């Protein structure tokens, strides 16, 4: 289980700081679909079990997935008030049942000011997350929709552990920042090409190599 003691900067803290970190940590359980973070400054979230989805909203109110967080990952932007000059309209939901450990924002902010290793951890993690966000932006701007959908289906296969994906067209649209109708049309095309087979509530990947070739297309 991922605990505060597993954070890379823990060894650089003194005894008082370690006790403050441990004593302030709070464990929470979120059912699948529950909102974990809604823009308020909650604190640092350590994913102990399950998977979280981090997304933003377009001006039209459409969701687009920026990245996902699994066991052992850290959600930094939920402690945005502890980050100087950083403010994002991000939201986090539990994509599966999830257990998280919360380090309150005020605790993390104080540790950041007292310990250089915490600041280094923050900078490194922020750079990683920005890189993920920029990758998504590049995909949206420069990659065709069929390639993005094929890549997403293959990614979801990894989470599902098999070829049968229990996903709705609405869920896929939310990941990609588009509308359900666009996903439905493209899936129908994929089905006609023999790449997938569609049934109620299930998308079965019929030609993984074909999807992979499509996903890698510029």
């Amino acid at each position: 289980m991922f605990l505060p003691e597993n954070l890379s900067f823990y060894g650089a803290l003194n005894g008082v700081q370690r006790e403050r970190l441990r004593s302030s940590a709070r464990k929470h359980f979120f059912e699948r679909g529950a909102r974990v973070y809604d823009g308020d400054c909650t604190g640092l979230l350590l994913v102990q079990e399950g998977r979280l989805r981090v997304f933003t909203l377009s001006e039209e109110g459409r969701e687009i997935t920026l990245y996902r967080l699994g066991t052992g990952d850290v959600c930094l932007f939920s402690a945005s008030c502890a980050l100087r000059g950083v403010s994002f309209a991000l939201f986090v939901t539990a994509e599966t049942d999830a257990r998280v450990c919360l380090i309150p924002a005020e605790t993390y902010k104080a540790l950041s000011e007292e310990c250089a290793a915490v600041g280094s951890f923050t900078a490194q993690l922020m750079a990683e997350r920005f890189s993920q966000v920029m990758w998504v932006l590049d995909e949206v701007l420069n990659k065709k929709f069929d390639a993005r959908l094929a890549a997403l289906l293959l990614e979801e296969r990894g989470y599902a552990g098999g070829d049968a994906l229990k996903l709705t067209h609405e869920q896929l649209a939310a990941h990609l920042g588009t509308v359900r109708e666009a996903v439905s049309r493209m899936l129908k095309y994929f089905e006609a090409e023999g790449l997938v087979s569609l049934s109620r509530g299930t998308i079965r990947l019929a030609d993984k190599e074909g999807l992979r070739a499509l996903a890698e297309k510029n």
Side-chain angles (χ1 to χ4, degrees):
M1 184 172 288
F2 192 64
L3 299 170
E5 292 88 334
N6 301 125
L7 290 164
S8 62
F9 59 77
Y10 185 80
L13 302 177
N14 62 37
V16 173
Q17 292 166 335
R18 290 181 183 182
E19 176 57 29
R20 192 193 317 162
L21 180 67
R22 289 194 301 265
S23 63
S24 68
R26 297 290 181 268
K27 295 179 181 179
H28 297 274
F29 173 78
F30 295 94
E31 293 184 348
R32 178 182 179 181
R35 187 64 63 91
V36 178
Y37 169 69
D38 208 5
D40 53 340
C41 191
T42 304
L44 201 70
L45 294 172
L46 319 181
V47 185
Q48 297 183 311
E49 295 177 17
R51 188 170 68 249
L52 307 182
R53 171 179 172 250
V54 181
F55 65 96
T56 189
L57 296 174
S58 70
E59 291 184 359
E60 296 79 19
R62 294 176 189 163
E63 296 180 7
I64 182 167
T65 299
L66 298 177
Y67 50 86
R68 283 137 160 189
L69 301 170
T71 302
D73 286 332
V74 177
C75 185
L76 176 67
F77 294 130
S78 52
S80 58
C81 60
L83 310 175
R84 293 180 181 176
V86 177
S87 179
F88 295 97
L90 298 184
F91 307 91
V92 182
T93 58
E95 200 165 47
T96 66
D97 287 353
R99 298 185 186 278
V100 305
C101 181
L102 171 68
I103 307 299
E106 58 271 19
T107 299
Y108 188 70
K109 184 177 182 180
L111 292 174
S112 298
E113 294 170 349
E114 297 169 12
C115 180
V118 181
S120 296
F121 170 82
T122 300
Q124 180 181 350
L125 189 56
M126 189 181 298
E128 291 174 3
R129 297 295 179 240
F130 269 122
S131 178
Q132 290 173 299
V133 171
M134 293 306 295
W135 181 85
V136 170
L137 181 60
D138 181 68
E139 291 280 297
V140 171
L141 294 176
N142 299 315
K143 203 164 187 177
K144 291 184 177 179
F145 180 61
D146 58 351
R148 293 176 60 217
L149 179 56
L152 177 59
L153 292 174
L154 292 170
E155 181 182 356
E156 290 291 344
R157 180 180 183 273
Y159 291 128
D163 294 336
L165 310 182
K166 300 293 184 180
L167 291 168
T168 66
H169 298 190
E170 187 96 32
Q171 287 173 309
L172 292 172
H175 283 308
L176 295 170
T178 187
V179 295
R180 179 183 57 80
E181 291 77 10
V183 171
S184 297
R185 286 194 297 269
M186 190 58 69
L187 286 174
K188 285 291 186 183
Y189 170 75
F190 283 3
E191 186 174 44
E193 293 294 308
L195 298 172
V196 304
S197 62
L198 305 176
S199 58
R200 187 175 182 84
T202 303
I203 302 166
R204 182 172 293 277
L205 308 191
D207 182 359
K208 292 182 288 296
E209 290 306 315
L211 286 169
R212 192 166 289 111
L214 183 57
E216 293 172 355
K217 185 178 68 174
N218 292 329

